[in-house]
């Protein structure tokens, strides 16, 4: 009976001492953190949606020789694009820093000085140069579609420099004839329409999934309009149609 109180005190002292040890250990105990970083969930393949808006300017021209039976020897058409508004959306597949995808765009161009230079034979050895001012109307509203390749060169943790190239085609939306005296569809007779472009973007990463960017771009349009004109030497048809742009955009990873 005398041993019982001693055992009670011994048990109490043992419990208190263990409690102090546990309490002391709790001060240095660090619970394992949950690794929930977005970077750890990063996939090698991702989908990217981007949207951009650019404005630009440039010039377009066409040249051809007339057939020998005509008094007109050659015609040179020119048009100056004082401004152009181009908006597009793109969906791409990204692998690390590389992207491949498709672009759909809409563009409205504003032409001035839509002129023509004509070389006319007056006699076997006399030629006259004639100038027609703002008579012709270059098509100016387009729907564009292309495929592109892009690569991000990381300049820093948050900044990347991204060159890209794209290749595709386009469709004229407006139906006004180029020449008021020629009743032919522009989309039908302006054939083999090709779009070739290149861009350089400086991207800033807001977070893992979102980037904004500044962009400069050059876009070249090609088509064969030799079937549109009459009495033309089709082998001599040539054209230059180039615009330069600058603008902004956003890119979202999902």
């Amino acid at each position: 009976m005398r041993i019982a109180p001693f055992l009670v005190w011994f048990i109490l002292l043992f419990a208190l001492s263990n409690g102090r040890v546990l309490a002391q250990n709790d001060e240095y105990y660090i619970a394992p953190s949950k690794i929930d970083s977005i970077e750890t969930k990063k996939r090698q393949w991702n989908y990217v949606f981007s949207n951009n808006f650019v404005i630009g300017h440039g010039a377009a021209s066409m040249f051809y020789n007339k057939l020998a039976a005509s008094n007109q020897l050659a015609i040179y058409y020119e048009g100056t694009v004082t401004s152009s508004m181009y908006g597009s959306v793109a969906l791409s597949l990204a692998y690390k820093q590389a992207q491949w995808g498709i672009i759909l765009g809409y563009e409205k161009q504003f032409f001035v000085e839509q002129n023509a230079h004509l070389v006319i034979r007056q006699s076997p050895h006399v030629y006259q140069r004639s100038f027609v001012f703002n008579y012709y109307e270059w098509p100016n509203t387009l729907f564009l579609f292309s495929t592109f390749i892009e690569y991000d060169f990381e300049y820093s943790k948050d900044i990347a420099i991204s060159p890209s190239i794209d290749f595709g085609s386009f469709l004229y939306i407006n139906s006004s004839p180029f020449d008021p005296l020629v009743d032919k569809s522009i989309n039908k007779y302006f054939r083999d329409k090709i779009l070739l472009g290149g861009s350089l973007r400086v991207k800033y990463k807001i977070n893992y999934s979102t980037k904004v960017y500044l962009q400069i771009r050059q876009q070249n349009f090609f088509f064969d309009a030799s079937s549109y004109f009459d009495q033309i030497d089709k082998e001599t048809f040539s054209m230059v149609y180039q615009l330069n742009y600058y603008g902004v955009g956003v890119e979202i990873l999902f």
Side-chain angles (χ1 to χ4, degrees):
M1 298 298 295
R2 294 180 179 178
I3 301 176
F6 173 77
L7 291 174
V8 172
W9 283 106
F10 178 79
I11 292 170
L12 289 174
L13 289 172
F14 180 80
L16 290 173
S17 63
N18 282 343
R20 285 195 298 271
V21 171
L22 290 173
Q24 291 174 359
N25 288 339
D26 286 344
E27 295 178 2
Y28 302 98
Y29 176 75
I30 300 176
S33 60
K34 294 182 180 180
I35 302 175
D36 195 23
S37 172
I38 296 179
E39 296 290 337
T40 62
K41 299 179 181 180
K42 201 172 175 183
R43 299 167 294 175
Q44 285 188 324
W45 293 93
N46 295 281
Y47 294 104
V48 180
F49 172 82
S50 62
N51 183 20
N52 76 81
F53 177 78
V54 295
I55 57 176
H57 60 90
S61 64
M62 291 186 293
F63 171 85
Y64 61 84
N65 289 330
K66 299 287 280 187
L67 294 175
S70 172
N71 288 331
Q72 292 184 3
L73 296 184
I75 299 181
Y76 174 78
Y77 301 97
E78 63 179 354
T80 301
V81 182
T82 56
S83 64
S84 175
M85 295 184 294
Y86 173 43
S88 68
V89 295
L91 182 64
S92 61
L93 187 63
Y95 178 74
K96 295 183 178 180
Q97 283 80 41
Q99 290 186 42
W100 173 84
I102 57 174
I103 303 173
L104 300 178
Y106 174 85
E107 182 169 5
K108 177 68 174 179
Q109 301 172 356
F110 298 92
F111 279 86
V112 296
E113 298 180 0
Q114 303 179 81
N115 308 323
H117 303 262
L118 292 74
V119 179
I120 302 173
R121 181 191 292 113
Q122 297 291 332
S123 66
H125 303 290
V126 178
Y127 304 95
Q128 176 186 354
R129 294 184 179 272
S130 178
F131 180 76
V132 182
F133 179 74
N134 273 346
Y135 176 77
Y136 303 96
E137 184 174 349
W138 285 79
N140 55 29
T141 308
L142 304 82
F143 174 72
L144 309 96
F145 45 96
S146 59
T147 182
F148 76 96
I149 299 175
E150 181 175 290
Y151 192 88
D152 294 345
F153 293 95
E154 295 183 352
Y155 179 77
S156 67
K157 181 181 178 181
D158 297 323
I159 298 176
I161 299 174
S162 307
S164 69
I165 57 173
D166 55 277
F167 175 82
S169 186
F170 57 94
L171 178 70
Y172 286 119
I173 297 176
N174 56 321
S175 58
S176 300
F178 178 81
D179 186 337
L181 298 179
V182 179
D183 186 18
K184 293 181 180 179
S185 167
I186 292 175
N187 278 315
K188 182 177 180 180
Y189 288 94
F190 281 29
R191 300 173 178 172
D192 302 328
K193 291 182 281 291
I194 296 174
L195 171 68
L196 181 62
S199 300
L200 183 65
R201 297 173 177 174
V202 178
K203 300 180 180 179
Y204 178 76
K205 181 166 64 175
I206 297 177
N207 52 46
Y208 167 70
S209 62
T210 306
K211 297 177 183 178
V212 294
Y213 57 82
L214 300 175
Q215 174 182 0
I216 58 174
R217 175 175 174 78
Q218 185 179 94
Q219 195 158 264
N220 294 272
F221 304 88
F222 303 95
F223 53 76
D224 180 4
S226 60
S227 298
Y228 181 84
F229 303 103
D230 298 326
Q231 296 182 330
I232 174 179
D233 182 356
K234 295 185 178 182
E235 298 297 326
T236 63
F237 179 84
S238 63
M239 66 164 301
V240 177
Y241 192 170
Q242 183 182 92
L243 274 71
N244 299 307
Y245 307 82
Y246 55 93
V248 297
V250 62
E251 182 179 282
I252 301 173
L253 185 72
F254 64 95

